């Protein structure tokens, strides 16, 4: 056997080893590069997402000055069964208290159900409100209409609110009281309970 073949074989093996190491180094470098870029991409996406939320929140942060008259906007929040928040045409928030009715408080029996019902009817929808008053909390108080439906009346009719007789002074209040009586007879909504408590009495008893 040619003795010169051994050094040649060793040289070939050495070259293969070097190539193998180079390939492994290249793969490791590629993995590190991809990992770093994936982290960067994830960071950029998260930053963009939260920046978008911040811009959106800032854009509608200011509340409009409460005024009487007709206003319209998109409902962005249901505060409880008789209060909602809209964005008006000036991109400002307006908190509206439904006139002439009183829904159970959120921590009162049926309070969450009333809020959920109102959410299903108007959340993210365009509404028109006839603002009749400004209450002591600087909220616009009025009748709300969505898709031609009187939301104040509907809340009473479906058993999710009382007629707030102390403050309900328009002609429609008499009709709402009749609808309340019917809802009670049919045990709708809050009237399915044996002894429902009026929210104004509950507040007086709970928050005094």
């Amino acid at each position: 056997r040619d003795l010169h073949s051994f050094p040649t074989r060793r040289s070939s093996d050495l070259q293969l080893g070097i190539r193998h190491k180079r390939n492994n180094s290249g793969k490791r470098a590629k993995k590190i590069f991809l990992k770093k870029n994936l982290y960067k991409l994830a960071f950029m996406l998260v930053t963009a997402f939260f920046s978008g939320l911040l811009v959106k929140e800032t854009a509608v942060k200011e509340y409009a000055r409460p005024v009487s008259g007709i206003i319209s906007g998109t409902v962005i929040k249901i505060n409880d069964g008789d209060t909602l928040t809209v964005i008006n045409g000036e991109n400002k928030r307006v908190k509206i208290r439904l006139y002439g009715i009183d829904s159970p408080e959120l921590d009162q029996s049926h309070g969450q159900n009333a809020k959920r019902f109102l959410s299903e009817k108007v959340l993210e929808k365009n509404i028109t409100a006839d603002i009749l008053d400004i209450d002591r909390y600087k909220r616009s108080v009025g009748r709300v209409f969505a898709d031609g439906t009187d939301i104040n009346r509907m809340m009473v009719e479906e058993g999710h609110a009382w007629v707030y007789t102390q403050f309900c002074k328009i002609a429609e209040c008499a009709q709402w009281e009749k609808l309340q009586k019917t809802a009670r007879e049919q045990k709708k909504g809050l009237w399915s309970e044996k002894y429902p408590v009026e929210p104004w009495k509950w507040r007086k008893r709970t928050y005094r």
Side-chain angles (χ1 to χ4, degrees):
R1 183 181 290 179
D2 186 359
L3 295 176
H4 293 290
S5 63
F6 290 102
T8 302
R9 193 173 295 126
R10 283 199 298 271
S11 177
S12 298
D13 291 343
L14 182 61
Q15 289 177 357
L16 286 172
I18 292 171
R19 287 176 188 170
H20 182 69
K21 287 181 179 179
R22 284 178 178 173
N23 288 336
N24 285 342
S25 298
K27 288 179 181 179
R28 282 197 298 271
K30 189 175 182 180
K31 285 181 180 179
I32 292 171
F33 175 79
L34 288 173
K35 186 179 289 187
K36 285 183 177 179
N37 279 275
L38 283 174
Y39 285 144
K40 287 181 181 179
L41 180 60
F43 177 77
M44 289 170 65
L45 288 173
V46 171
T47 302
F49 175 76
F50 284 105
S51 295
L53 288 180
L54 181 60
V55 169
K56 184 177 180 181
E57 179 67 18
T58 303
V60 296
K61 186 175 182 180
E62 185 179 358
Y63 277 85
R65 182 173 59 87
V67 293
S68 298
I70 304 297
I71 65 172
S72 60
T74 302
V75 179
I76 61 166
K77 181 179 180 180
I78 303 299
N79 303 79
D80 53 33
D82 53 36
T83 308
L84 52 84
T85 303
V86 305
I87 294 296
N88 66 11
E90 298 177 348
N91 208 33
K92 292 183 179 180
R93 299 185 186 198
V94 181
K95 185 176 285 189
I96 302 174
R97 173 69 162 81
L98 302 186
Y99 174 87
I101 70 171
D102 202 3
S103 288
E105 298 294 326
L106 292 178
D107 48 355
Q108 184 182 356
S109 179
H110 199 78
Q112 293 292 339
N113 290 340
K115 178 182 178 180
R116 186 160 45 249
F117 181 83
L118 185 59
S119 296
E120 292 170 357
K121 299 302 178 183
V122 300
L123 186 60
E124 297 182 349
K125 291 187 178 181
N126 294 323
I127 61 98
T128 299
D130 181 7
I131 304 303
L132 304 173
D133 195 11
I134 307 299
D135 69 9
R136 60 176 176 166
Y137 303 108
K138 303 301 180 183
R139 295 176 301 185
S140 300
V141 182
R143 297 177 65 188
V144 172
F145 300 87
D147 298 325
T149 300
D150 184 335
I151 301 300
N152 305 51
R153 169 183 170 138
M154 181 185 65
M155 293 298 290
V156 173
E157 187 174 11
E158 296 301 322
H160 297 292
W162 274 262
V163 177
Y164 206 171
T165 53
Q166 181 181 353
F167 298 102
C168 198
K169 303 301 180 183
I170 60 177
E172 287 80 1
C173 295
Q175 179 62 29
W176 294 357
E177 288 180 1
K178 292 179 182 178
L179 293 173
Q180 176 176 287
K181 182 179 178 182
T182 301
R184 185 171 191 167
E185 291 170 350
Q186 296 177 355
K187 299 186 183 302
K188 287 185 175 182
L190 63 89
W191 301 111
S192 62
E193 299 178 12
K194 192 171 183 179
Y195 300 111
V197 179
E198 295 91 331
W200 54 90
K201 291 182 179 179
W202 188 89
R203 286 192 295 269
K204 187 174 181 180
R205 187 172 63 199
T206 303
Y207 299 141
R208 64 183 177 182

